[in-house]
Amino acid sequence: MRTHYCGQVNAELAEQQVTLCGWVNKRRDLGGLIFIDLRDREGLIQVVFDPDQQDLFDKANKLRQEFCVQIKGTVNRRPDSQVNKTMKTGEVELLASELNILSRSEPLPIDFNSQVSEEARLRYRYLDLRRPQMNEKLQFRAKVTSAVRRFLDDNGFLDIETPMLTRATPEGARDYLVPSRTHKGRFFALPQSPQLFKQLLMMSGFDRYYQIVKCFRDEDLRADRQPEFTQIDIETSFMTAEQVMQVTEQMTSGLFQQLLGIDLGPFPTMTWHEAMRLYGSDKPDLRNPLQLVDVADLLTDVEFKVFSGPANDEKGRVAVIRLPGQADNVSRKMIDEYTKFVGIYGAKGLAWIKVNDLSQGREGLQSPILKFLPDDALNAILERTEAATGDVLFFGSDKANVVAESMGALRLKLGEEFNLVSDEWRPLWVVDFPMFEENDDGSLAALHHPFTAPVNVTPEQLKADPAQALSNAYDMVLNGVEVGGGSTRIFDNEMQQTVLEVLGIGKAEAEEKFGFLLEALKYGTPPHAGLAFGLDRLVMLMVGANSIRDVIAFPKTTTAACVLTDAPGLANPEALQELGVKSTVDENDDK
């Protein structure tokens, strides 16, 4: 039906006949001439209708926004004075000779020339996706997946699919369950990741696997989460963690160089403990120069219990953020807002000191907490934080995890509000994560997943002191966003049993949930390791979007609903009966 895309017509086609198909982006009637901007996925071109061709002109006069049309005509160069340098096709225009209205459009239910709510955009997603900025994002996503496939294919990785209907596995979120009609009362689970299957593929001898795969997690959503998301899943045998990091770093650097012309440079490596100490986050944004400085050892003997309590608690922490040069710009109202902000993360308050004039000693400082701090502790804090005149010091004092989360978030907020964040790209590897984290009840949970290998411990040593064990895990972080995470896997049956035991999973439960994996580990399992990228997050960063919803064709809302199709919906009672499932929700209840 067409010879060219609209956005590909240029001066090299001057005086040639072409046939284009697309949508009317805009119509203008200027002094007897009718102009339209015709749009398709590759861009826009101006089309002109001459009134001397009366029938054609009358037909063009009926065109409205978003009519779908086919147009034949001659490509003409525009006069120099009329060249539109903002359009790829701005040097030319199409003089129409034929017009075929393929489909008419009613007035659009949303006006993209004004502010449109995200719910409306998702409700009419097929219209939203026609917008050039959305079209470009999805085209870019396609280029990313194509480049990933080429790289992995060229490096000996095999694209192998894994099942969508499987058993539930512990990945840290609730599973989406699918009832079985042929096995009433039993349920499949949609995979949170292909974790166990890709390990089984390594045991099967496919030493380099990849898959661009849908994963599903029934969890509360935010800007960078969806109930269904896409992973670039990679697994290898006979490769160390360092080798996996090297090949995936090469792939990521290649994507940025090839698609954006950006050289990411070498990726530095930082331990998890260092990241938490300096930035309060295991995915630190290195574009922000602010850091956390520990001062608990300077405050163990002060009478101020807000500081001395956590300072003397082995699970406590006192840390300071020094905001340079902003003492005159930080008002008491702003400090109150920051106090409320850290409260979101569990902090009970936010102590502060303004350094108005360092040369005046205590007299040059401003804070309600000064009366609680003796000179030796105060001077030591100023020295350690390298405080200078004009600085503001913010204190976090609580359990270590509360301090890390609240002060890490405050660090990001201050960096944004005071324009401290650079516009460069800052990649990072975070390594040596703790093997386990403590739940509120004192039990242990796997920080990554229970198939991650510990570093340099025997099963006996792990069982004796699990809290001190490190995992051979690694996360790729880019500008404060975790874009990929992986680890070496446990390939020894005894070690896997020990990890499950530490997690409180007894032999009977382990056999029920992971019996097939434990059985497979008995038969010559190779050392293996892998990494999974969040494709949606990676593309979101590369195109500069604020949400992964902008790089997914048909995403869900923050309540995990599809307003386009009105999903999820109620099931047919007959279908539920066939499945052996009964709903306890009345069909008249609100969703």
Side-chain angles (χ1 to χ4, degrees), residues 10 12 90 104 111 149 189 206 265 374 475:
N10 55 38
E12 294 179 2
R104 297 173 184 270
D111 180 7
R149 290 186 188 280
F206 298 98
D475 281 0

Side-chain angles (χ1 to χ4, degrees), residues 519-549:
E519 176 75 11
L521 286 170
K522 299 176 182 178
Y523 304 116
T525 301
H528 55 288
L531 184 145
F533 287 92
L535 175 64
D536 311 302
R537 289 184 185 180
L538 183 61
V539 176
M540 176 188 74
L541 281 177
M542 295 181 78
V543 302
N546 295 320
S547 166
I548 61 172
R549 290 189 289 277

Side-chain angles (χ1 to χ4, degrees), residues 294-538:
D294 284 307
V295 295
D297 60 306
L298 307 177
L299 298 165
T300 55
D301 297 328
V302 301
E303 295 182 5
F304 191 37
K305 298 299 183 183
V306 171
F307 284 166
S308 61
N312 288 284
D313 184 347
E314 63 178 10
K315 294 184 178 180
R317 184 181 183 187
V318 185
V320 179
I321 295 175
R322 177 177 71 87
L323 178 63
Q326 298 296 335
D328 292 338
N329 299 320
V330 175
S331 65
R332 185 56 191 265
K333 180 181 178 182
M334 294 170 66
I335 292 174
D336 290 341
E337 291 174 352
Y338 296 149
T339 303
K340 291 179 181 178
F341 177 76
V342 296
I344 297 172
Y345 302 91
K348 300 180 183 67
L350 182 66
W352 55 275
I353 296 175
K354 282 189 178 184
V355 185
N356 295 323
D357 188 345
L358 189 64
S359 65
Q360 294 186 21
R362 181 181 287 270
E363 297 303 316
L365 306 178
Q366 177 186 351
S367 173
I369 68 169
L370 292 176
K371 59 187 176 183
F372 301 114
L373 298 177
D375 287 344
D376 57 345
L378 184 60
N379 292 332
I381 291 170
L382 295 174
E383 181 179 355
R384 181 171 296 180
T385 59
E386 300 181 0
T389 297
D391 293 350
V392 184
L393 306 181
F394 293 102
F395 292 76
S397 182
D398 211 306
K399 296 293 185 183
N401 62 324
V402 173
V403 170
E405 193 168 355
S406 60
M407 296 300 280
L410 179 62
R411 169 183 172 269
L412 296 178
K413 185 176 181 64
L414 294 172
E416 290 289 342
E417 290 190 357
F418 292 96
N419 298 315
L420 302 176
V421 181
S422 69
D423 58 1
E424 58 190 332
W425 291 92
R426 295 294 302 273
L428 173 72
W429 284 109
V430 178
V431 300
D432 291 344
F433 287 78
M435 185 75 179
F436 305 104
E437 59 184 347
E438 188 174 310
N439 295 318
D440 292 338
D441 62 1
S443 63
L444 296 178
L447 189 65
H448 279 78
H449 55 67
F451 316 109
T452 301
V455 177
N456 297 329
V457 293
T458 65
E460 292 75 18
Q461 290 170 329
L462 180 67
K463 191 182 301 185
D465 193 8
Q468 298 303 312
L470 297 179
S471 67
N472 199 353
Y474 36 85
D475 281 0
M476 182 187 290
V477 177
L478 185 57
N479 291 1
V481 176
E482 178 197 330
V483 294
S487 66
T488 59
R489 321 302 189 188
I490 298 170
F491 66 100
D492 174 76
N493 186 287
E494 183 183 1
M495 179 61 81
Q496 185 64 78
Q497 295 269 20
T498 300
V499 169
L500 295 177
E501 183 179 338
V502 169
L503 293 172
I505 301 175
K507 289 187 176 180
E509 184 181 357
E511 186 63 32
E512 179 190 353
K513 292 183 174 179
F514 316 114
F516 61 96
L517 177 70
L518 299 174
E519 176 75 11
L521 286 170
K522 299 176 182 178
Y523 304 116
T525 301
H528 55 288
L531 184 145
F533 287 92
L535 175 64
D536 311 302
R537 289 184 185 180
L538 183 61

Side-chain angles (χ1 to χ4, degrees), residues 135-147:
N135 186 291
E136 290 166 5
K137 289 182 176 70
L138 290 191
Q139 286 203 50
F140 187 88
R141 180 185 175 116
K143 291 177 182 177
V144 170
T145 57
S146 179

Side-chain angles (χ1 to χ4, degrees), residues 28 85 222 230 235 269 289 324 329 379 383 403 415 504:
R28 305 180 301 281
K85 295 181 179 180
R222 53 183 186 235
T230 306
E235 195 77 9
T269 298
N329 299 320
N379 292 332
E383 181 179 355
V403 170

